Amino acid sequence: MNKKTVAIILELIPIVAVVLTFGLIFLPINAAKVSWLTSALMILAFLGFAFFFIARALAKGEKVVKALGILDWLATLSVIAIYVLAIFSFGL
């Protein structure tokens, strides 16, 4: 595999993780395994900024990597927003 393909796959990990996390959060399933999976996906989504820097180093100047990098930062911001909303909803 070339560096561009690896960079695109790395960029897609946080984006898919945040979509799956939101899906699992809003499902009415309350099981320990689902909770563990949601936590793991939330960590992957939070690390979107790290995946951005790694992919940017692998594929310098690629427009696809830059566009997916913006989505990675949005994935990180959405995780932060969920935690902020949780803190405000449960009280400080």
Side-chain angles (χ1 to χ4, degrees), residues 29-78:
I29 300 171
N30 193 11
K33 290 182 181 179
V34 174
S35 174
W36 180 84
L37 182 62
T38 303
S39 300
L41 288 172
M42 188 74 87
I43 290 170
L44 278 177
F46 179 71
L47 292 175
F49 67 93
F51 286 107
F52 167 74
F53 288 121
I54 294 169
R56 189 97 186 246
L58 285 175
K60 298 173 184 158
E62 291 291 330
K63 291 183 181 182
V64 175
V65 173
K66 288 180 184 179
L68 289 173
I70 293 170
L71 294 175
D72 283 344
W73 281 101
L74 290 176
T76 302
L77 289 176
S78 67

